[in-house]
Amino acid sequence: MKHRDGLRLDASVGWRLRVRRRILLIPRGASVEDQRMMRRAMDLARAAGARGEVPVGAVIYRGGSILAEASNDREASGDPTGHAEVVALRLAAIANGGWRLNDCSMAVTLEPCPMCAGALVNARISRLLYGARDPKAGAVDTLYDLCRDPRLNHRIEVIGGLMGTQCGSLLTNFFRARRLAKRAIRSADS
């Protein structure tokens, strides 16, 4: 089945989009609007990386309008809860006039950790779209499944891997540059 935007449905993975000889995989359930929000989250992540923060960005939206957006700010704020998801949830609750975000979606560049996944469940977010998996702290698919745990009072629709390669590259490049800078300082001190 072909969609008017050049997307092609592939039963095994979802939508395929051919862009300049490359095929980008769009996970089943993700829309063009979701991709736009993930690109915005990636822009926020790049800005965080430029400030020396771990490059993670999050956007909370309802329909086509952005309710709140944030990036990691733990270094600048000195707050251990300064993850992009938590900061965005705080801002969205203020913009929404209440903490229940039932009809909202979040696009975030990295799979949420246990703290962030728990906050998403407590905020009653409807949908979560994340980019790169987190093998060390991923609490949505990789290590735990907090967002869909039937023992909790709310479950979230999860779509993982949206622009995962690009989101993962942001993190890989950030930490590679950080390691190279540390090596340069050590060799200069020697």
Side-chain angles (χ1 to χ4, degrees):
M1 181 171 107
K2 194 167 185 181
H3 189 266
R4 65 178 161 75
D5 295 327
L7 298 172
R8 188 177 306 273
L9 182 62
D10 180 332
S12 62
V13 293
W15 291 96
R16 290 179 183 265
L17 175 61
R18 183 172 290 280
V19 179
R20 292 188 195 152
R21 297 185 190 173
R22 289 189 352 212
I23 294 177
L24 302 176
L25 296 179
I26 304 169
R28 183 181 307 279
S31 68
V32 174
E33 186 66 28
D34 295 328
Q35 284 186 297
R36 185 174 76 85
M37 296 301 172
M38 185 60 79
R39 280 193 295 275
R40 177 63 188 142
M42 290 171 61
D43 290 342
L44 294 164
R46 282 186 201 93
R51 294 190 315 268
E53 300 281 353
V54 174
V56 178
V59 177
I60 298 176
Y61 55 102
R62 182 184 294 129
S65 64
I66 294 174
L67 195 59
E69 57 185 33
S71 56
N72 277 4
D73 72 355
R74 289 192 319 171
E75 301 300 326
S77 67
D79 181 358
T81 67
H83 290 204
E85 302 96 302
V86 173
V87 176
L89 285 171
R90 287 183 189 133
L91 295 172
I94 292 167
N96 191 47
W99 60 270
R100 288 179 184 88
L101 302 172
N102 298 51
D103 55 347
C104 296
S105 298
M106 175 185 277
V108 63
T109 56
L110 179 65
E111 179 183 2
C113 70
M115 173 184 69
C116 296
L120 290 167
V121 169
N122 283 313
R124 312 291 197 273
I125 286 278
S126 294
R127 296 172 68 232
L128 169 67
L129 298 100
Y130 72 85
R133 285 180 168 253
D134 186 350
K136 293 185 178 184
V140 176
D141 282 323
T142 306
L143 300 177
Y144 307 104
D145 190 3
L146 291 179
C147 293
R148 293 174 291 224
D149 191 323
R151 296 170 294 181
L152 299 176
N153 62 336
H154 178 73
R155 277 158 291 297
I156 299 170
E157 176 188 347
V158 175
I159 299 171
L162 180 61
M163 300 177 162
T165 303
Q166 298 96 315
C167 293
S169 293
L170 289 173
L171 290 155
T172 301
N173 294 338
F174 174 81
F175 286 112
R176 181 179 295 136
R178 185 181 267 187
R179 283 190 301 273
L180 289 172
K182 283 183 182 179
R183 285 183 196 142
I185 290 171
R186 278 194 296 244
S187 66
D189 289 341
S190 299

